[in-house]
Amino acid sequence: MSLMVVIVALAELLDGETRANMLLQKPNWYQQKRQCCAQLMKGRTMQKYSGFGLLKHSLSHHENWQRVWRNPTPKKHYDAIIVGGGGHGLATAYYMAKEHGMTNIAVVEKGYLGGGNTARNTTIIRSNYLWDEAAHLYEHSLKLWEGLAQDLNYNLMFSQRGVLNLGHTLQDMRDIERRVSANRLNGIDSQLLNGQEVQDLVPILDCSKNARYPVMGASWQPRGGTARHDAVAWGYARAADALGVDLLQQTEVTGIRRKDGAVCGVETNRGFISTDKVACVAAGNSGTLAKMVGMELPLESHPLQAMVSEPIKPILDTVVMSNHVHGYVSQSDKGDLVIGAGIDGYLGYGQRGSFNILEHTISAIIEMFPIFSRVRLNRAWGGIVDTCPDACPIISKTHIKGLYFNCGWGTGGFKATPGSGHVFAHTVAKDEPHPLAKAFDVNRFTSGKLIDEHGAAGVAH
Amino acid sequence: MLHIYCPYCEEYREEEEFHPHGQAHIVRPLAPESLTDEEWSQYLFFRKNPRGLHHEMWVHAAGCRKFFNMTRHTVTYKILETYKMGQQPSITAEDTQ
Amino acid sequence: MSNIVNVQSPLYHADFESLASVTKEGGVSLREAKLLGHLNLRGNSDSPEFKNGVEKALGLTLPLTPCTSLQNDDATIMWLSPDEWLIIVEGGQEATVEETLRANITGHFAVSDISGGQTILEISGPDCIKVMQKSTGYDFHLKQFPVGKVIGTAFAKSSTYIRRTSYDSFQLVVRRSFADYFWLWLQQSSKEYGLRITL
Amino acid sequence: MSQVNRLELGGRINRHKTLNFTFNNKTYQGFEGDTLASALLANGVDVVGRSFKYSRPRGIITADAQEPNAIFQIGSNDASTIPNPRATQTELYQNLVCNATNGWPNVDFDLMETVGKVGGAAMPPGFYYKTFMFPQSMWMSYEKIIRKGAGLGSSPLQPDPDTYDKMHHHCDVMVVGAGPAGLSAALAAAQAGSRVIIADEQNEMGGSLLCSTQLLDGMSASAWVANTLSELEQNENVTLLPRSTVFGYFDHNFLGINERRSDHIGETDSNGTRQRLHKVRAKQVILATGAHERPLVFGNNDVPGCMLASAISTYINRYAVVPGNTLSLMTTNDNAYKAAIAWHDAGKQVTVIADTRPIPEAGTEGDLVKQAIELGIKVLFGHAIINVKGSKRVKSVEVAPISSNGEKVEGEVVSYTCDTVASSGGWSPVLHLSSHTGSKPVWRDDIQGFVPGKTEQAQLICGGVNGVYSLTQVLNEGMQCGAKASQAATGEPAQEPLADQEPSAALELSAELEPSAGKKLSAEPAPKLKLVEPSSAPVIKEPVEAPAMALFHIPHVKPTSRAPKQFVDYQNDVTAAGIELANREGFESIEHVKRYTALGFGTDQGKLGNINGMAITAKSLGKTIPETGTTIFRPMYTPVTFGALSGSDVKHLFDPARFTAMHSWHLANGAEFEDVGQWKRPWYFPKPGETMQQALQRECLATRNSVGILDASTLGKIDIQGKDAREFLNRIYTNPWSQLAVGKCRYGVMCKEDGMVFDDGVTSCINDNRFLMTTTTGGAPAVLSWLELWHQTEWPELEVYFSTVTDHWSTMTISGPNSRKVLEKLTDADVSNEAFPYMGWIATEVAGVKARIFRISFTGELSFEINVQANHGLHTWEAVMAAGEEFDITPYGTETMHILRAEKGFIIVGQDTDGSVTPQDLDMNWVVGKKKEFNYLGKRSWTREDNQRSDRKQFVGLKPKDKNFVLPEGAQLVFEPNQSIPMTMVGHVTSSYYSACLGHSFALAVVKGGLDRMGQSVFVPLADGTTVEAEICSSVFYDAKGDRQNV
């Protein structure tokens, strides 16, 4: 482990970041990176992270690392306030500052940054959604993921180890063919695998006929994978802060003040803050915010459980998901098997669900991977997912001028973080929906133009 | 794991016997054709999502197969009462405030 | 064409006849009370014409207390829900009993013959309570589950009605298509105690 | 090999039973009653693992669930091996094989340690986030190497040879932990007549009493334990669960307990259950989980030989193992002196006790301090061990005076030679379980620890978990708690009057069947009425203790960032300097600190280090510990085997498989099966040597040309009775039912309120008040629930009842031009077209069995659906097969059924629809009631804007240009084949087959505006880059007029 740092640092020191780059023949890469960094530096000087930096700081016993973000006092006025300091909110702030030049903005978070579902999910990233609208949005997000660590100068450990969605029945296979075929025509790297190909890819998966629901095939998205969830929030926070965004933690919005049908500020536990735009990115708490202005949203908040095993030596290199037996698993870089379950059917804000869901999920994992039977479960927890009737998010303006909502990501929010922030930043900054966000207007529940992704989102992830 | 008093079987049963069915007391509009699309969508999709007391419908699926209502706290998961279909809750959020 | 009609209970394929001759010991005994008449009865228990009609037809009071059952020589009647009961009669009698019920009850009610759709498994023996505890989350303490009580409950990954017939014997009402699952489950759950098949 | 550290006398081990075991390929011996940890210590094994980040050698620190270092791979082969059990919680068994989980080439000589010393400096917390970024494409390669270092133990590579199961329990009082508090609580509750379950994670019950030297009423602690256990065992209302860890506390007093039934016996247990998961619903829960000792954080506190003071007492007193020769102790409290005294009593040398508290006023010393001084042990007040020297074993300690607040070193550093360092920073209540249900821990300054906070559960706490540590008080509190819980549990008014139920026929029956049952019933006394004299707490001589000092992090002469590494969380190499750095970088919330440094993310889940980490954070941010917050512990308390969580719900019991009455016939006749919901349905019946396509061709042609037979028993069937049944159907289905005559059948479609098709099927009028509804196989349970939902919640005034009769009827469909001829051989009824026309039904006898025959057709051929009581299903099936023999009757499965219906353009809900399709989209306006009085389910939604679009996807047929090419089911369609990606998709193939009867391939699809595009082309871009063309056509490919089904 430590050897790695030394090697990377030396590599960077000896011939800089360009070396590997030259190998890869991407001549404009270095320039791009410099531009990006320059942009980041506009707000204030952001200490650049690198392996060499680590070595350098080790000489001063790491006493001189800069704060990753400031702890500012709220200003009297911001051009926009983002309510919710999770991954989506922080990404929104970052892109508003970076791409729309809005740097006099604040993120208001009632707890700590990235403390909600960003901190609790199972980190799966993919874009193999069925319907065009969803597929384009998630693919937009996936493309952003692919350059995000460099963009933010923060290693998010985005690991494109591929995602398998297993099929166990003939109808599963029809649905998979339909989705894969749609993905392909939408430019998304989905493939259809037969049972043998699945077995070759994941030798430890039980693909035998003896299984209660034998594996018939799968969809495979090689560009999918996982990332380090906390790092996403911290990376965005650090970069947004560097661009001048105020990150106000321990600050709770208690009211949204309006004047002449438009937003004019928010009441908080730290006093009133005036603003022209309020962008709500509060997941399970969106309903509470909506209620402050007398709005209702078609959302329900449910417990979603996740769990990890004790760390074991690497044995599973891809993400394996199954709607039918209802469970999914990947292995983290620490060695934990990261396992997801279905949502509990009842409303719940308790960050915990019922035990039978956990039992069933582990059964499902053993159905797929009988060799994990003697591995041990270390920890289980719950998040609060805000779900829409069609399993797609709401990214929407409202009838109140300057009030915007981005919510309802259900079980699939983490993978969307960059895309969600990016299109929402556009929507808020320009006061008109980003082209990719248009279909996710709240009015679809009235017109009936729902985007039913229950199939693609069938197992919570 | 909730422990639920079935008002029909008149005893506590394990959660596994039940299925939740969302918000209680949603009445189907008597004349759907007279509703605007907005009003119809309210009935179809918009639900209360309180952080606190919630009146919700459950069915004793593996037991007596009866639908019934429950007043439950969505943070503590405490069940304050269960009551039969057609009855009104005796505890509401206003009571506890 | 042969006039002999082969009648096959839901666990016909398990061949209890042969098993009964080889399994003599065990803390758990299992028997299929097969090919009985099963009638599902629906009606309004507040209606005297319904209650009286049932009583007249069966010679047995309609159990109105939740989760109870009553029995006489000819029939067992189990409370399933406030407006639903299961009547068990001797196999072959179901049509007659259905007719008698229809003849005696007036007003709104329903009877469905479901004799082909379910079977009864009788589980007994000193260790049978442990097997029940492995299978369902209900409390089998006599105080909570006295003899004669009947409950509809989740059973492993299926569901069933359980009726207690003595301290250590129970009837399980099992849907035909799930019978094989119950059979597999009960074999697995009683393995450590020894399973004895009786006829 | 001799056990160098084993005392000659004492301990709770069985010296008559020697057990051999192998650690890292070297064989050792221990005794029955040893844990793997005590046996290793007895043998003088110092290094048991390597740390994750720095590869530092590590030894055993604790004797309990907190152990972060002694994490092993246990087992001798690929199937039975277990990753990551703690040696401190593993009972030794004969021939146990174990290995350290880290270290290369081995734990004693690890090359990485050298690298760790160099590179380690460059690995502060969060170093991952700061590097490995350039270039982007290299991360996957970096990650591959990083992953090589991941994980502790290894997963088995073969399926588990053991089995697991689960058991449910109910009780009045559940006692968690069988130490002094738990045992006395259980005893009191049992004496008060409660049903009690008491569980303890250890092999023996007794907890701290098992290594206590105190006397209770003059008898040894272990004698008191034995007496108490004996009384509990004799009480039939008490269930004792040793070796059972309560790993989770869930809502409404539900607990998960993992009982290890054979792990102490051997590697596998072929006969029994390896582990059993007990699921307990308790009226009252008593947490008597005790407390864990906290280590102090000081320089190089991870060198093997550094241990918890209480662990040293435990190893000496319970296992007769002294894990070294010379001991230095650092403590903030009196209690830890017990370790030094025990060490001394064992005949070994105590070098020094560094007591961090200021010099006490004469006479105010606690009894244990006095005792230590009297024994001649060197005690230095106001001192601390600030650093340890040594690599694979402690060689010496550096002791220095510290300021009275414990924050600074104030004076000369003196070195003492020793091989063992004990430390104690006080005790942390084991409150994990209470936190599982959302209760927030509360800090108590007086005990310097968190205790369980306010909870919604019916929960009581006693003993150590409540911050009560004196044995007398613990026992008293336990008893009070037990009595209180018992009263609360049994004093509740009875929930229902079942117990007072009138003696009924049922009770008489029980007396007849089982005489003993009656006796049991009456013999059951109401124990709570019996006045039991509760035991009183034993008299114990308690040592007087002076107050402890609140100290967590021991200062060094250098600032923390430059001091030797001071470990807080050993498994993840989290140091005090790392935490302070995280704070400096702005990670101030304790959750941020945890996540950034990995504090508490080891397999001990922060049991050992969390409080120290919080204290360091608090100090560095200038806050108090409660201001810094707490961390919520989650289940599992200690890790639980996946197998135990699954129980028996694995393999064939993972999900019930449902079978029809004819299943044995299908098996005997070579059917391949398809999973449809939980059902196993015959998919097709290949003859020997036949491919699937050949079998399908044969089955299809036989049905079209002569007669085929399908087992259709799995279709849902609902008996609907009552005078309002018709009206109910009118509201549920989209089409009208008012005019359906007795003896007639009608196809119906039901929609959800959003207007989308939800299920379909044929419903027949049995009599004016009675209908038989059929549903799809997969939709049956949902449809029944749907009917009940609307009846119970919206229209209770409608007089109608529903009963499922799916399982009651066996259904076999004979289909094809010769089907009537077959039927005529089996029944006396007139089944001619005149007497028994299409879409009618009759009751008759078939093959000597009462039957209902429905003249409905899903194939488009003349069809009869024969329904018989399921006990006669196989009989009738065989009779039909015999009667059909002369017509070469051919059994067919779901695939042929799908082909035949698709040729007719009949939909399958769930295949041709997906929840976004209306009847209008399906070109099924004929099934939509226009004049029905009631505004039936789904209707209103059809007038919404999106439903009015002209480019909605509509159900059509497709004819591929290549007559032999079968389009992939699910394939997406485009109008313009040459467009660039992303393409505009206009629909997809829902069903697609080769039709033997038509002689070409065909498909069903939904296409945007498809009904207005008849004859036009759509294109299917395939995965291989080719594109195939198909013509949009009517969805009915065969016998459009429907003549064949009508003959």
Side-chain angles (χ1 to χ4, degrees), chain A residues 62-63 146 150 159 184 313, chain D residues 121 133 136 143 152 561 1021:
Chain A
H62 302 287
E63 284 162 351
E146 285 173 328
Q150 290 68 35
S159 169
R184 198 175 67 248
K313 296 272 188 287
Chain D
M133 277 175 281
Q136 172 199 331
E143 190 190 29
L152 296 167
S561 55

Side-chain angles (χ1 to χ4, degrees), chain A residues 28-78:
Chain A
N28 62 343
W29 175 83
Y30 188 62
Q31 210 177 350
Q32 274 174 3
K33 217 195 85 47
R34 283 181 64 118
Q35 277 169 357
C36 159
C37 285
Q39 216 162 0
L40 283 178
M41 302 304 167
K42 253 194 310 195
R44 66 183 179 112
T45 317
M46 186 169 81
Q47 199 169 30
K48 199 172 146 290
Y49 289 162
S50 68
F52 177 60
L54 279 169
L55 274 191
K56 196 181 75 185
H57 279 279
S58 74
L59 299 176
S60 56
H61 304 271
H62 302 287
E63 284 162 351
N64 302 316
W65 286 105
Q66 198 180 54
R67 279 185 71 99
V68 279
W69 51 71
R70 295 161 297 131
N71 201 356
T73 314
K75 294 186 204 165
K76 287 213 167 73
H77 175 84
Y78 291 101

Side-chain angles (χ1 to χ4, degrees), chain D residues 135-307:
Chain D
Q136 172 199 331
S137 55
M138 281 295 285
W139 167 242
M140 291 308 291
S141 316
Y142 295 147
E143 190 190 29
K144 255 184 207 140
I145 301 168
I146 288 172
R147 272 173 90 81
K148 282 204 173 25
L152 296 167
S154 303
S155 167
L157 298 173
Q158 301 297 322
D160 197 333
D162 281 316
T163 57
Y164 305 81
D165 65 12
K166 300 182 186 177
M167 199 176 257
H168 298 264
H169 302 267
H170 294 257
C171 64
D172 295 319
V173 181
M174 170 78 219
V175 183
V176 184
L183 285 175
S184 54
L187 191 61
Q191 285 171 342
S194 279
R195 289 165 71 190
V196 177
I197 300 175
I198 178 166
D200 191 278
E201 62 179 343
Q202 300 202 31
N203 61 325
E204 284 187 278
M205 291 194 167
S208 62
L209 293 175
L210 297 175
C211 52
S212 172
T213 51
Q214 283 178 293
L215 298 178
L216 292 79
D217 277 342
M219 69 176 128
S220 72
S222 41
W224 185 87
V225 170
N227 287 350
T228 307
L229 284 174
S230 145
E231 184 170 346
L232 289 172
E233 276 158 10
Q234 281 164 28
N235 189 325
E236 61 171 15
N237 280 330
V238 177
T239 304
L240 293 116
L241 294 173
R243 296 189 173 94
S244 297
T245 306
V246 181
F247 61 81
Y249 188 175
F250 305 94
D251 284 285
H252 302 182
N253 267 13
F254 186 87
L255 298 102
I257 306 174
N258 186 25
E259 182 193 7
R260 298 175 302 281
R261 292 169 68 84
S262 70
D263 285 352
H264 59 291
I265 298 168
E267 208 164 301
T268 62
D269 180 9
S270 51
N271 299 317
T273 300
R274 180 182 163 219
Q275 296 180 355
R276 173 167 292 163
L277 198 81
H278 297 276
K279 301 198 270 186
V280 176
R281 182 72 73 178
K283 287 188 182 146
Q284 294 284 318
V285 168
I286 296 177
L287 297 182
T289 43
H292 283 148
E293 194 172 29
R294 279 192 300 266
L296 287 162
V297 178
F298 53 101
N300 289 316
N301 55 344
D302 67 327
V303 176
C306 290
M307 296 177 79

